[in-house]
Amino acid sequence: MNSVGVAPTVSADQPSLELRDFGGGPFGIYIHVPFCATRCGYCDFNTYTAGELGTSASPQSWFEALRGELATAAEQFAAFPSATPPVETIFVGGGTPSLLGGDGLANVLTAIRDNFTLAPGAEVTTESNPESTSPEFFARLLDGGFTRISLGMQSAAAHVLKVLDRTHTPGRAVAAAQEARAAGFEHVNLDLIYGTPGETDADLDASLDAVLTAGVDHVSAYSLIVEDGTALARRVRRGELPAPDDDVLAARYERIDSRLEAAGLGWYEVSNWAANDAARCRHNLGYWDGGDWLGAGPGAHSHVGGVRWWNVKHPARYADRVALGGLPAAGWEQLTDSERYTERVMLTARLRTGLPLGDLDADGAAAAQRVVADGLAELHADRLVLTDRGRLLADAVVRTLLT
């Protein structure tokens, strides 16, 4: 082991995870809540319904294991040469974190505070399903220390929600956003999915009308991706539904961007728009800017000082591994300089702030000139920034830069 390294205590059947130190960027914590009331047909996240888990795991056993993982991680980090930095951002995702209720989510934040120091003004976000929220829920979260709410809306069209197997009623997401604002949350996000089979331009316009009516300061919009192994993929494979069309997806993206920009929500990452700098999701910016984060919970991924690891997925196995001692990693990797370069280009190129030209090697710098000549990016001082057309072809731009 490197003389400045710290090898976390692991049980005999755990991978020999070796951590050395923090990377010097912002430090965040992601908490994965693996529980859902029902399984959405498009989702391939590490989630489980009560019927799938049976008696093997519960929110209570998950929470006890989570507390153990947070304590172990804090102990391991305390042995680093550098002091553990204050936690700048927390993001509770899933799954459906709102199924824990206001008290359950407040307890999660308490468990983090018991082991880590939060920075002044830390951003604390939780995802929520509109159907499992209420004015009282939001009031409890605000009182418990949360600062930001992210609500899954997907669409305002009932038939689109049905294709996605979403259970909330079309108007509930807007009502929940308004309840969160009324409770005192300044920062509220709504998630959209566009390009669902059967969605029309009118459906998308209705969704955007609803988003703008809600008065939120952040919107995320993602094209539908048919993930292998999902119910949606099986329906597409059987010919019951058409696969999303790339030209339609591009037109929908342009429609979303135009409407949101006109309403004062500017893009800051290819799939994210915010009313101002303060409304941007600082936690996600930590990912895109190469920060460090601890991912706690079943299947969660972490990245600290160039080392990435991922936890065992099943909640019961996760709890068992935490009980054995050590971090509940299923695997890990030390990123090479080449891999870190690739990730830097892939992620930072998607930001409106752009990719610093100084981050590119000689081949990348030459490729950047070609991208600019093709009208896919512009040079803003010493940064490469995607044009509107470049955002539609962001993946192709990245491939060019890395070729």
Side-chain angles (χ1 to χ4, degrees), residues 264-301:
L265 293 160
W267 79 280
Y268 70 98
E269 191 274 342
V270 168
S271 298
N272 290 271
W273 291 258
N276 49 55
D277 288 354
R280 297 176 178 183
C281 180
R282 289 162 47 196
H283 186 82
N284 285 342
L285 283 169
Y287 296 150
W288 297 322
D289 279 337
D292 290 325
W293 71 90
L294 169 68
H301 286 230

PDB file of all heavy atoms in Angstrom, residues 264-301:
ATOM      1  N   GLY A 264     -37.354  32.704 -18.841  1.00  0.00           N
ATOM      2  CA  GLY A 264     -36.297  33.114 -17.922  1.00  0.00           C
ATOM      3  C   GLY A 264     -35.532  31.992 -17.282  1.00  0.00           C
ATOM      4  O   GLY A 264     -34.758  32.216 -16.339  1.00  0.00           O
ATOM      5  N   LEU A 265     -35.713  30.771 -17.781  1.00  0.00           N
ATOM      6  CA  LEU A 265     -34.961  29.618 -17.284  1.00  0.00           C
ATOM      7  C   LEU A 265     -33.884  29.279 -18.304  1.00  0.00           C
ATOM      8  O   LEU A 265     -34.170  28.765 -19.387  1.00  0.00           O
ATOM      9  CB  LEU A 265     -35.887  28.417 -17.062  1.00  0.00           C
ATOM     10  CG  LEU A 265     -36.915  28.570 -15.940  1.00  0.00           C
ATOM     11  CD1 LEU A 265     -38.059  27.589 -16.127  1.00  0.00           C
ATOM     12  CD2 LEU A 265     -36.264  28.355 -14.590  1.00  0.00           C
ATOM     13  N   GLY A 266     -32.628  29.557 -17.981  1.00  0.00           N
ATOM     14  CA  GLY A 266     -31.539  29.352 -18.914  1.00  0.00           C
ATOM     15  C   GLY A 266     -30.834  28.022 -18.701  1.00  0.00           C
ATOM     16  O   GLY A 266     -30.704  27.551 -17.567  1.00  0.00           O
ATOM     17  N   TRP A 267     -30.372  27.427 -19.786  1.00  0.00           N
ATOM     18  CA  TRP A 267     -29.668  26.147 -19.661  1.00  0.00           C
ATOM     19  C   TRP A 267     -28.301  26.376 -19.025  1.00  0.00           C
ATOM     20  O   TRP A 267     -27.635  27.368 -19.286  1.00  0.00           O
ATOM     21  CB  TRP A 267     -29.534  25.459 -21.017  1.00  0.00           C
ATOM     22  CG  TRP A 267     -28.438  25.975 -21.914  1.00  0.00           C
ATOM     23  CD1 TRP A 267     -28.473  27.083 -22.706  1.00  0.00           C
ATOM     24  CD2 TRP A 267     -27.141  25.399 -22.091  1.00  0.00           C
ATOM     25  NE1 TRP A 267     -27.297  27.239 -23.381  1.00  0.00           N
ATOM     26  CE2 TRP A 267     -26.449  26.221 -23.031  1.00  0.00           C
ATOM     27  CE3 TRP A 267     -26.482  24.286 -21.561  1.00  0.00           C
ATOM     28  CZ2 TRP A 267     -25.139  25.952 -23.451  1.00  0.00           C
ATOM     29  CZ3 TRP A 267     -25.185  24.012 -21.975  1.00  0.00           C
ATOM     30  CH2 TRP A 267     -24.523  24.834 -22.901  1.00  0.00           C
ATOM     31  N   TYR A 268     -27.904  25.470 -18.151  1.00  0.00           N
ATOM     32  CA  TYR A 268     -26.551  25.506 -17.597  1.00  0.00           C
ATOM     33  C   TYR A 268     -25.860  24.159 -17.745  1.00  0.00           C
ATOM     34  O   TYR A 268     -24.660  24.039 -17.545  1.00  0.00           O
ATOM     35  CB  TYR A 268     -26.559  25.950 -16.132  1.00  0.00           C
ATOM     36  CG  TYR A 268     -27.140  24.954 -15.147  1.00  0.00           C
ATOM     37  CD1 TYR A 268     -26.318  24.114 -14.409  1.00  0.00           C
ATOM     38  CD2 TYR A 268     -28.518  24.866 -14.939  1.00  0.00           C
ATOM     39  CE1 TYR A 268     -26.841  23.209 -13.497  1.00  0.00           C
ATOM     40  CE2 TYR A 268     -29.052  23.970 -14.031  1.00  0.00           C
ATOM     41  CZ  TYR A 268     -28.219  23.137 -13.315  1.00  0.00           C
ATOM     42  OH  TYR A 268     -28.753  22.240 -12.418  1.00  0.00           O
ATOM     43  N   GLU A 269     -26.627  23.146 -18.105  1.00  0.00           N
ATOM     44  CA  GLU A 269     -26.134  21.826 -18.492  1.00  0.00           C
ATOM     45  C   GLU A 269     -27.114  21.342 -19.531  1.00  0.00           C
ATOM     46  O   GLU A 269     -28.274  21.769 -19.544  1.00  0.00           O
ATOM     47  CB  GLU A 269     -26.077  20.889 -17.286  1.00  0.00           C
ATOM     48  CG  GLU A 269     -25.340  19.575 -17.514  1.00  0.00           C
ATOM     49  CD  GLU A 269     -26.200  18.470 -18.092  1.00  0.00           C
ATOM     50  OE1 GLU A 269     -27.454  18.577 -18.015  1.00  0.00           O
ATOM     51  OE2 GLU A 269     -25.642  17.509 -18.648  1.00  0.00           O
ATOM     52  N   VAL A 270     -26.678  20.491 -20.431  1.00  0.00           N
ATOM     53  CA  VAL A 270     -27.489  20.168 -21.607  1.00  0.00           C
ATOM     54  C   VAL A 270     -28.938  19.814 -21.257  1.00  0.00           C
ATOM     55  O   VAL A 270     -29.859  20.180 -21.986  1.00  0.00           O
ATOM     56  CB  VAL A 270     -26.819  19.028 -22.400  1.00  0.00           C
ATOM     57  CG1 VAL A 270     -27.754  18.468 -23.461  1.00  0.00           C
ATOM     58  CG2 VAL A 270     -25.531  19.522 -23.045  1.00  0.00           C
ATOM     59  N   SER A 271     -29.168  19.150 -20.142  1.00  0.00           N
ATOM     60  CA  SER A 271     -30.519  18.715 -19.786  1.00  0.00           C
ATOM     61  C   SER A 271     -31.112  19.467 -18.595  1.00  0.00           C
ATOM     62  O   SER A 271     -32.119  19.024 -18.039  1.00  0.00           O
ATOM     63  CB  SER A 271     -30.521  17.208 -19.477  1.00  0.00           C
ATOM     64  OG  SER A 271     -30.135  16.460 -20.607  1.00  0.00           O
ATOM     65  N   ASN A 272     -30.511  20.597 -18.231  1.00  0.00           N
ATOM     66  CA  ASN A 272     -30.957  21.303 -17.026  1.00  0.00           C
ATOM     67  C   ASN A 272     -31.015  22.802 -17.242  1.00  0.00           C
ATOM     68  O   ASN A 272     -30.090  23.394 -17.819  1.00  0.00           O
ATOM     69  CB  ASN A 272     -30.015  20.985 -15.863  1.00  0.00           C
ATOM     70  CG  ASN A 272     -30.154  19.550 -15.384  1.00  0.00           C
ATOM     71  OD1 ASN A 272     -30.971  19.261 -14.522  1.00  0.00           O
ATOM     72  ND2 ASN A 272     -29.361  18.647 -15.949  1.00  0.00           N
ATOM     73  N   TRP A 273     -32.084  23.414 -16.724  1.00  0.00           N
ATOM     74  CA  TRP A 273     -32.327  24.842 -16.861  1.00  0.00           C
ATOM     75  C   TRP A 273     -32.622  25.429 -15.475  1.00  0.00           C
ATOM     76  O   TRP A 273     -33.279  24.787 -14.645  1.00  0.00           O
ATOM     77  CB  TRP A 273     -33.538  25.099 -17.754  1.00  0.00           C
ATOM     78  CG  TRP A 273     -33.360  24.764 -19.194  1.00  0.00           C
ATOM     79  CD1 TRP A 273     -33.132  25.626 -20.227  1.00  0.00           C
ATOM     80  CD2 TRP A 273     -33.410  23.461 -19.801  1.00  0.00           C
ATOM     81  NE1 TRP A 273     -33.038  24.953 -21.425  1.00  0.00           N
ATOM     82  CE2 TRP A 273     -33.208  23.626 -21.193  1.00  0.00           C
ATOM     83  CE3 TRP A 273     -33.615  22.167 -19.304  1.00  0.00           C
ATOM     84  CZ2 TRP A 273     -33.197  22.546 -22.084  1.00  0.00           C
ATOM     85  CZ3 TRP A 273     -33.599  21.101 -20.185  1.00  0.00           C
ATOM     86  CH2 TRP A 273     -33.385  21.302 -21.559  1.00  0.00           C
ATOM     87  N   ALA A 274     -32.154  26.645 -15.229  1.00  0.00           N
ATOM     88  CA  ALA A 274     -32.354  27.273 -13.921  1.00  0.00           C
ATOM     89  C   ALA A 274     -32.648  28.756 -14.096  1.00  0.00           C
ATOM     90  O   ALA A 274     -32.217  29.391 -15.069  1.00  0.00           O
ATOM     91  CB  ALA A 274     -31.124  27.086 -13.036  1.00  0.00           C
ATOM     92  N   ALA A 275     -33.377  29.317 -13.133  1.00  0.00           N
ATOM     93  CA  ALA A 275     -33.766  30.721 -13.192  1.00  0.00           C
ATOM     94  C   ALA A 275     -32.590  31.647 -12.931  1.00  0.00           C
ATOM     95  O   ALA A 275     -32.571  32.783 -13.409  1.00  0.00           O
ATOM     96  CB  ALA A 275     -34.888  30.989 -12.194  1.00  0.00           C
ATOM     97  N   ASN A 276     -31.598  31.166 -12.178  1.00  0.00           N
ATOM     98  CA  ASN A 276     -30.424  31.982 -11.849  1.00  0.00           C
ATOM     99  C   ASN A 276     -29.341  31.049 -11.308  1.00  0.00           C
ATOM    100  O   ASN A 276     -29.568  29.843 -11.150  1.00  0.00           O
ATOM    101  CB  ASN A 276     -30.776  33.077 -10.834  1.00  0.00           C
ATOM    102  CG  ASN A 276     -31.556  32.523  -9.649  1.00  0.00           C
ATOM    103  OD1 ASN A 276     -31.113  31.585  -8.984  1.00  0.00           O
ATOM    104  ND2 ASN A 276     -32.738  33.078  -9.392  1.00  0.00           N
ATOM    105  N   ASP A 277     -28.190  31.611 -11.013  1.00  0.00           N
ATOM    106  CA  ASP A 277     -27.084  30.779 -10.531  1.00  0.00           C
ATOM    107  C   ASP A 277     -27.436  30.057  -9.240  1.00  0.00           C
ATOM    108  O   ASP A 277     -27.057  28.896  -9.040  1.00  0.00           O
ATOM    109  CB  ASP A 277     -25.841  31.641 -10.312  1.00  0.00           C
ATOM    110  CG  ASP A 277     -25.209  32.099 -11.617  1.00  0.00           C
ATOM    111  OD1 ASP A 277     -25.672  31.645 -12.689  1.00  0.00           O
ATOM    112  OD2 ASP A 277     -24.275  32.914 -11.570  1.00  0.00           O
ATOM    113  N   ALA A 278     -28.158  30.726  -8.350  1.00  0.00           N
ATOM    114  CA  ALA A 278     -28.496  30.119  -7.064  1.00  0.00           C
ATOM    115  C   ALA A 278     -29.439  28.933  -7.223  1.00  0.00           C
ATOM    116  O   ALA A 278     -29.494  28.059  -6.349  1.00  0.00           O
ATOM    117  CB  ALA A 278     -29.126  31.165  -6.136  1.00  0.00           C
ATOM    118  N   ALA A 279     -30.175  28.902  -8.323  1.00  0.00           N
ATOM    119  CA  ALA A 279     -31.140  27.824  -8.543  1.00  0.00           C
ATOM    120  C   ALA A 279     -30.507  26.570  -9.131  1.00  0.00           C
ATOM    121  O   ALA A 279     -31.130  25.513  -9.165  1.00  0.00           O
ATOM    122  CB  ALA A 279     -32.254  28.311  -9.465  1.00  0.00           C
ATOM    123  N   ARG A 280     -29.271  26.667  -9.604  1.00  0.00           N
ATOM    124  CA  ARG A 280     -28.608  25.502 -10.179  1.00  0.00           C
ATOM    125  C   ARG A 280     -28.386  24.420  -9.123  1.00  0.00           C
ATOM    126  O   ARG A 280     -28.169  24.726  -7.958  1.00  0.00           O
ATOM    127  CB  ARG A 280     -27.264  25.909 -10.785  1.00  0.00           C
ATOM    128  CG  ARG A 280     -27.398  26.889 -11.940  1.00  0.00           C
ATOM    129  CD  ARG A 280     -26.046  27.342 -12.449  1.00  0.00           C
ATOM    130  NE  ARG A 280     -26.182  28.243 -13.590  1.00  0.00           N
ATOM    131  CZ  ARG A 280     -25.170  28.760 -14.275  1.00  0.00           C
ATOM    132  NH1 ARG A 280     -23.918  28.453 -13.925  1.00  0.00           N
ATOM    133  NH2 ARG A 280     -25.393  29.561 -15.295  1.00  0.00           N
ATOM    134  N   CYS A 281     -28.456  23.167  -9.544  1.00  0.00           N
ATOM    135  CA  CYS A 281     -28.244  22.063  -8.609  1.00  0.00           C
ATOM    136  C   CYS A 281     -26.752  21.919  -8.342  1.00  0.00           C
ATOM    137  O   CYS A 281     -26.002  21.389  -9.160  1.00  0.00           O
ATOM    138  CB  CYS A 281     -28.818  20.770  -9.173  1.00  0.00           C
ATOM    139  SG  CYS A 281     -28.591  19.355  -8.072  1.00  0.00           S
ATOM    140  N   ARG A 282     -26.324  22.382  -7.192  1.00  0.00           N
ATOM    141  CA  ARG A 282     -24.903  22.348  -6.846  1.00  0.00           C
ATOM    142  C   ARG A 282     -24.396  20.916  -6.698  1.00  0.00           C
ATOM    143  O   ARG A 282     -23.223  20.624  -6.970  1.00  0.00           O
ATOM    144  CB  ARG A 282     -24.670  23.144  -5.564  1.00  0.00           C
ATOM    145  CG  ARG A 282     -24.809  24.650  -5.746  1.00  0.00           C
ATOM    146  CD  ARG A 282     -25.018  25.377  -4.427  1.00  0.00           C
ATOM    147  NE  ARG A 282     -24.078  24.946  -3.390  1.00  0.00           N
ATOM    148  CZ  ARG A 282     -24.253  25.190  -2.088  1.00  0.00           C
ATOM    149  NH1 ARG A 282     -25.326  25.849  -1.663  1.00  0.00           N
ATOM    150  NH2 ARG A 282     -23.357  24.762  -1.213  1.00  0.00           N
ATOM    151  N   HIS A 283     -25.257  20.012  -6.262  1.00  0.00           N
ATOM    152  CA  HIS A 283     -24.820  18.622  -6.102  1.00  0.00           C
ATOM    153  C   HIS A 283     -24.437  18.024  -7.452  1.00  0.00           C
ATOM    154  O   HIS A 283     -23.366  17.416  -7.589  1.00  0.00           O
ATOM    155  CB  HIS A 283     -25.922  17.796  -5.451  1.00  0.00           C
ATOM    156  CG  HIS A 283     -25.484  16.400  -5.118  1.00  0.00           C
ATOM    157  ND1 HIS A 283     -24.786  16.095  -3.976  1.00  0.00           N
ATOM    158  CD2 HIS A 283     -25.611  15.227  -5.800  1.00  0.00           C
ATOM    159  CE1 HIS A 283     -24.502  14.804  -3.950  1.00  0.00           C
ATOM    160  NE2 HIS A 283     -24.995  14.256  -5.053  1.00  0.00           N
ATOM    161  N   ASN A 284     -25.297  18.193  -8.452  1.00  0.00           N
ATOM    162  CA  ASN A 284     -24.979  17.659  -9.769  1.00  0.00           C
ATOM    163  C   ASN A 284     -23.770  18.365 -10.380  1.00  0.00           C
ATOM    164  O   ASN A 284     -22.965  17.742 -11.079  1.00  0.00           O
ATOM    165  CB  ASN A 284     -26.189  17.772 -10.693  1.00  0.00           C
ATOM    166  CG  ASN A 284     -27.248  16.737 -10.371  1.00  0.00           C
ATOM    167  OD1 ASN A 284     -26.980  15.744  -9.700  1.00  0.00           O
ATOM    168  ND2 ASN A 284     -28.459  16.974 -10.821  1.00  0.00           N
ATOM    169  N   LEU A 285     -23.625  19.648 -10.108  1.00  0.00           N
ATOM    170  CA  LEU A 285     -22.443  20.357 -10.586  1.00  0.00           C
ATOM    171  C   LEU A 285     -21.170  19.751  -9.988  1.00  0.00           C
ATOM    172  O   LEU A 285     -20.121  19.733 -10.637  1.00  0.00           O
ATOM    173  CB  LEU A 285     -22.536  21.848 -10.236  1.00  0.00           C
ATOM    174  CG  LEU A 285     -23.462  22.675 -11.131  1.00  0.00           C
ATOM    175  CD1 LEU A 285     -23.685  24.056 -10.539  1.00  0.00           C
ATOM    176  CD2 LEU A 285     -22.885  22.795 -12.545  1.00  0.00           C
ATOM    177  N   GLY A 286     -21.261  19.250  -8.773  1.00  0.00           N
ATOM    178  CA  GLY A 286     -20.121  18.566  -8.176  1.00  0.00           C
ATOM    179  C   GLY A 286     -19.727  17.336  -8.967  1.00  0.00           C
ATOM    180  O   GLY A 286     -18.537  17.053  -9.159  1.00  0.00           O
ATOM    181  N   TYR A 287     -20.716  16.573  -9.465  1.00  0.00           N
ATOM    182  CA  TYR A 287     -20.413  15.428 -10.329  1.00  0.00           C
ATOM    183  C   TYR A 287     -19.746  15.902 -11.619  1.00  0.00           C
ATOM    184  O   TYR A 287     -18.719  15.374 -12.048  1.00  0.00           O
ATOM    185  CB  TYR A 287     -21.694  14.680 -10.714  1.00  0.00           C
ATOM    186  CG  TYR A 287     -22.461  14.020  -9.601  1.00  0.00           C
ATOM    187  CD1 TYR A 287     -23.844  13.874  -9.700  1.00  0.00           C
ATOM    188  CD2 TYR A 287     -21.835  13.517  -8.474  1.00  0.00           C
ATOM    189  CE1 TYR A 287     -24.577  13.245  -8.705  1.00  0.00           C
ATOM    190  CE2 TYR A 287     -22.562  12.893  -7.470  1.00  0.00           C
ATOM    191  CZ  TYR A 287     -23.939  12.760  -7.589  1.00  0.00           C
ATOM    192  OH  TYR A 287     -24.666  12.140  -6.610  1.00  0.00           O
ATOM    193  N   TRP A 288     -20.356  16.878 -12.267  1.00  0.00           N
ATOM    194  CA  TRP A 288     -19.895  17.318 -13.588  1.00  0.00           C
ATOM    195  C   TRP A 288     -18.531  17.997 -13.511  1.00  0.00           C
ATOM    196  O   TRP A 288     -17.779  17.981 -14.484  1.00  0.00           O
ATOM    197  CB  TRP A 288     -20.926  18.262 -14.208  1.00  0.00           C
ATOM    198  CG  TRP A 288     -22.259  17.619 -14.454  1.00  0.00           C
ATOM    199  CD1 TRP A 288     -22.476  16.344 -14.894  1.00  0.00           C
ATOM    200  CD2 TRP A 288     -23.550  18.198 -14.269  1.00  0.00           C
ATOM    201  NE1 TRP A 288     -23.830  16.101 -14.993  1.00  0.00           N
ATOM    202  CE2 TRP A 288     -24.511  17.220 -14.612  1.00  0.00           C
ATOM    203  CE3 TRP A 288     -24.000  19.449 -13.854  1.00  0.00           C
ATOM    204  CZ2 TRP A 288     -25.880  17.447 -14.565  1.00  0.00           C
ATOM    205  CZ3 TRP A 288     -25.364  19.690 -13.792  1.00  0.00           C
ATOM    206  CH2 TRP A 288     -26.290  18.706 -14.141  1.00  0.00           C
ATOM    207  N   ASP A 289     -18.216  18.605 -12.368  1.00  0.00           N
ATOM    208  CA  ASP A 289     -16.946  19.316 -12.231  1.00  0.00           C
ATOM    209  C   ASP A 289     -15.850  18.462 -11.586  1.00  0.00           C
ATOM    210  O   ASP A 289     -14.791  18.973 -11.241  1.00  0.00           O
ATOM    211  CB  ASP A 289     -17.135  20.592 -11.410  1.00  0.00           C
ATOM    212  CG  ASP A 289     -17.694  21.734 -12.259  1.00  0.00           C
ATOM    213  OD1 ASP A 289     -17.519  21.692 -13.483  1.00  0.00           O
ATOM    214  OD2 ASP A 289     -18.297  22.663 -11.697  1.00  0.00           O
ATOM    215  N   GLY A 290     -16.116  17.162 -11.391  1.00  0.00           N
ATOM    216  CA  GLY A 290     -15.076  16.266 -10.900  1.00  0.00           C
ATOM    217  C   GLY A 290     -14.843  16.319  -9.405  1.00  0.00           C
ATOM    218  O   GLY A 290     -13.723  16.065  -8.942  1.00  0.00           O
ATOM    219  N   GLY A 291     -15.876  16.628  -8.628  1.00  0.00           N
ATOM    220  CA  GLY A 291     -15.726  16.667  -7.181  1.00  0.00           C
ATOM    221  C   GLY A 291     -15.695  15.281  -6.562  1.00  0.00           C
ATOM    222  O   GLY A 291     -15.732  14.251  -7.251  1.00  0.00           O
ATOM    223  N   ASP A 292     -15.614  15.248  -5.233  1.00  0.00           N
ATOM    224  CA  ASP A 292     -15.672  14.000  -4.471  1.00  0.00           C
ATOM    225  C   ASP A 292     -17.073  13.818  -3.915  1.00  0.00           C
ATOM    226  O   ASP A 292     -17.738  14.798  -3.542  1.00  0.00           O
ATOM    227  CB  ASP A 292     -14.687  14.034  -3.299  1.00  0.00           C
ATOM    228  CG  ASP A 292     -13.233  13.977  -3.748  1.00  0.00           C
ATOM    229  OD1 ASP A 292     -12.946  13.296  -4.746  1.00  0.00           O
ATOM    230  OD2 ASP A 292     -12.391  14.610  -3.086  1.00  0.00           O
ATOM    231  N   TRP A 293     -17.503  12.577  -3.818  1.00  0.00           N
ATOM    232  CA  TRP A 293     -18.771  12.323  -3.139  1.00  0.00           C
ATOM    233  C   TRP A 293     -18.786  10.918  -2.565  1.00  0.00           C
ATOM    234  O   TRP A 293     -18.181  10.001  -3.103  1.00  0.00           O
ATOM    235  CB  TRP A 293     -19.974  12.523  -4.071  1.00  0.00           C
ATOM    236  CG  TRP A 293     -20.148  11.481  -5.131  1.00  0.00           C
ATOM    237  CD1 TRP A 293     -20.862  10.315  -5.053  1.00  0.00           C
ATOM    238  CD2 TRP A 293     -19.588  11.501  -6.460  1.00  0.00           C
ATOM    239  NE1 TRP A 293     -20.792   9.614  -6.236  1.00  0.00           N
ATOM    240  CE2 TRP A 293     -20.032  10.317  -7.121  1.00  0.00           C
ATOM    241  CE3 TRP A 293     -18.784  12.399  -7.161  1.00  0.00           C
ATOM    242  CZ2 TRP A 293     -19.664  10.027  -8.432  1.00  0.00           C
ATOM    243  CZ3 TRP A 293     -18.420  12.099  -8.470  1.00  0.00           C
ATOM    244  CH2 TRP A 293     -18.860  10.928  -9.079  1.00  0.00           C
ATOM    245  N   LEU A 294     -19.474  10.805  -1.458  1.00  0.00           N
ATOM    246  CA  LEU A 294     -19.772   9.516  -0.848  1.00  0.00           C
ATOM    247  C   LEU A 294     -21.177   9.134  -1.266  1.00  0.00           C
ATOM    248  O   LEU A 294     -22.126   9.896  -1.046  1.00  0.00           O
ATOM    249  CB  LEU A 294     -19.690   9.591   0.672  1.00  0.00           C
ATOM    250  CG  LEU A 294     -20.231   8.368   1.423  1.00  0.00           C
ATOM    251  CD1 LEU A 294     -19.346   7.152   1.181  1.00  0.00           C
ATOM    252  CD2 LEU A 294     -20.360   8.656   2.914  1.00  0.00           C
ATOM    253  N   GLY A 295     -21.326   7.957  -1.862  1.00  0.00           N
ATOM    254  CA  GLY A 295     -22.640   7.423  -2.176  1.00  0.00           C
ATOM    255  C   GLY A 295     -22.974   6.335  -1.170  1.00  0.00           C
ATOM    256  O   GLY A 295     -22.305   5.297  -1.119  1.00  0.00           O
ATOM    257  N   ALA A 296     -23.987   6.568  -0.347  1.00  0.00           N
ATOM    258  CA  ALA A 296     -24.354   5.618   0.705  1.00  0.00           C
ATOM    259  C   ALA A 296     -25.719   5.011   0.401  1.00  0.00           C
ATOM    260  O   ALA A 296     -26.620   5.701  -0.072  1.00  0.00           O
ATOM    261  CB  ALA A 296     -24.376   6.316   2.063  1.00  0.00           C
ATOM    262  N   GLY A 297     -25.854   3.734   0.693  1.00  0.00           N
ATOM    263  CA  GLY A 297     -27.088   3.022   0.411  1.00  0.00           C
ATOM    264  C   GLY A 297     -26.853   1.929  -0.611  1.00  0.00           C
ATOM    265  O   GLY A 297     -25.798   1.874  -1.269  1.00  0.00           O
ATOM    266  N   PRO A 298     -27.828   1.023  -0.798  1.00  0.00           N
ATOM    267  CA  PRO A 298     -27.655  -0.106  -1.720  1.00  0.00           C
ATOM    268  C   PRO A 298     -27.399   0.363  -3.150  1.00  0.00           C
ATOM    269  O   PRO A 298     -28.162   1.149  -3.701  1.00  0.00           O
ATOM    270  CB  PRO A 298     -28.995  -0.845  -1.610  1.00  0.00           C
ATOM    271  CG  PRO A 298     -29.577  -0.424  -0.298  1.00  0.00           C
ATOM    272  CD  PRO A 298     -29.128   0.978  -0.098  1.00  0.00           C
ATOM    273  N   GLY A 299     -26.323  -0.142  -3.739  1.00  0.00           N
ATOM    274  CA  GLY A 299     -26.023   0.166  -5.126  1.00  0.00           C
ATOM    275  C   GLY A 299     -25.453   1.544  -5.382  1.00  0.00           C
ATOM    276  O   GLY A 299     -25.161   1.880  -6.536  1.00  0.00           O
ATOM    277  N   ALA A 300     -25.275   2.367  -4.354  1.00  0.00           N
ATOM    278  CA  ALA A 300     -24.785   3.730  -4.555  1.00  0.00           C
ATOM    279  C   ALA A 300     -23.327   3.726  -4.995  1.00  0.00           C
ATOM    280  O   ALA A 300     -22.543   2.868  -4.586  1.00  0.00           O
ATOM    281  CB  ALA A 300     -24.944   4.544  -3.274  1.00  0.00           C
ATOM    282  N   HIS A 301     -22.966   4.688  -5.824  1.00  0.00           N
ATOM    283  CA  HIS A 301     -21.594   4.853  -6.311  1.00  0.00           C
ATOM    284  C   HIS A 301     -20.930   6.017  -5.598  1.00  0.00           C
ATOM    285  O   HIS A 301     -21.571   7.026  -5.317  1.00  0.00           O
ATOM    286  CB  HIS A 301     -21.586   5.117  -7.810  1.00  0.00           C
ATOM    287  CG  HIS A 301     -21.888   3.911  -8.647  1.00  0.00           C
ATOM    288  ND1 HIS A 301     -21.112   3.521  -9.715  1.00  0.00           N
ATOM    289  CD2 HIS A 301     -22.885   2.995  -8.559  1.00  0.00           C
ATOM    290  CE1 HIS A 301     -21.618   2.424 -10.265  1.00  0.00           C
ATOM    291  NE2 HIS A 301     -22.697   2.089  -9.586  1.00  0.00           N
TER     292      HIS A 301
END
